[in-house]
Amino acid sequence: MSTVNPHQNGLGAASLPHHIAIIMDGNGRWAKRKHLPRTAGHHAGVESVRLVVEACAKRGIEVLTLFAFGKENWQRPVQEVGYLMELFLKALESEVKKLHQNNVKLQFIGDCSALSDKLKTSMAQSNALTASNTGLVLNIAVDYSGRWDILQASKRLAKQVEAGQLKADTISSADFEQYLCLHGLPEPDLFIRTSGEQRISNFLLWQLAYTELYFTDVLWPDLTEEIIEEALIFYSNRQRRFGFTGEQMESQQSA
Ligand code: FPP
């Protein structure tokens, strides 16, 4: 269910986001500042992943989506890519039990066809182990890009049209969304990017249409509870309008 709901939040409503999406950026710069190899930044970044997962679970946030590896990241030095893949595997192996004990439902979004069999197996097992959990839904985007997601959804929709199951003229947003990776989940309410970069970098292009965007200069490995709290306060002070006027939203709120 990823339709826009104008009643979801109002002016200054001290409400928590249902879904937070994060670009975890700045690992390389963090390492460079410390005269360490870039990989040390990725290693340190795992601790921030733990921190944000715990912070979201503690607050009852429903969905957290983390951009761990983009389709374009395959172009990085082969050593760095190899290190990241090993890191994902190790992190999965060491964290999945704890996530399961904490009722976290772990899912992966992305193409993933180019990942090693070992990593794909570990991802599938983690997914299966936590599938019936009812707490935080944690989506890890690996080998993902927003354009890839839109394209793969379009291809699947086109096949339905080819098969005569759907008329091109009647295709609705809902028909399209059912094929997107995050179908069935609410759209992100809050997007966070660390490291001072202010762009979306091919993350959830369709789903971020009405998301509140929060940027912080803090590098991902330096993430703290306070930064997460600041982002949540920023969110609670936004008036979400979804194309309506501020007055309309206020009258809906008081009705
Ligand atoms: C971006 O920083 C970060 C990545 C491409 C990798 C993110 C991976 C982690 C945080 C490791 C752990 C993740 C999981 C899910 C266990 P960058 O390398 O682009 O930093 P830079 O812009 O400073 O170079």
Side-chain angles (χ1 to χ4, degrees), residues 23-31 38 41-49 66-70 73 76 80 84 87-88 91-92 95 140-142 193 195 197 199 219-220:
I23 295 188
M24 311 179 283
D25 198 10
N27 294 350
R29 276 162 285 169
W30 180 91
R38 292 178 53 82
H42 298 314
H43 184 263
V46 178
E47 198 47 53
S48 300
V49 172
L66 301 177
F67 202 6
F69 193 83
N73 291 144
R76 290 190 174 202
E80 183 173 340
L84 276 168
L87 188 67
F88 296 149
L92 260 186
E95 300 298 319
I140 309 284
V142 186
R193 182 171 189 155
S195 90
E197 307 297 352
R199 47 181 181 260
L219 304 175
W220 180 252

Side-chain angles (χ1 to χ4, degrees), residues 2 5 10-11 17 19 25 31 52 82 132 145 155 181 184 192 199 211 226 232 241:
S2 56
N5 177 2
L11 180 66
H19 182 172
D25 198 10
V52 77
S132 55
S145 90
K155 287 179 190 168
C181 285
I192 300 172
R199 47 181 181 260
T211 304
E226 288 70 35
L232 292 173
R241 292 201 288 269

Side-chain angles (χ1 to χ4, degrees), residues 41-106:
H42 298 314
H43 184 263
V46 178
E47 198 47 53
S48 300
V49 172
R50 263 187 219 115
L51 177 83
V52 77
V53 169
E54 280 168 20
C56 287
K58 186 173 80 183
R59 288 175 172 84
I61 305 285
E62 291 154 42
V63 188
L64 173 64
T65 302
L66 301 177
F67 202 6
F69 193 83
K71 279 216 148 283
E72 287 77 16
N73 291 144
W74 290 111
Q75 300 167 85
R76 290 190 174 202
V78 70
Q79 251 188 326
E80 183 173 340
V81 172
Y83 182 89
L84 276 168
M85 294 301 146
E86 265 308 300
L87 188 67
F88 296 149
L89 187 63
K90 281 193 188 141
L92 260 186
E93 286 171 357
S94 66
E95 300 298 319
V96 72
K97 265 194 190 152
K98 207 168 102 192
L99 291 172
H100 183 45
Q101 282 160 5
N102 284 289
N103 200 21
V104 173
K105 183 175 181 172
L106 184 57

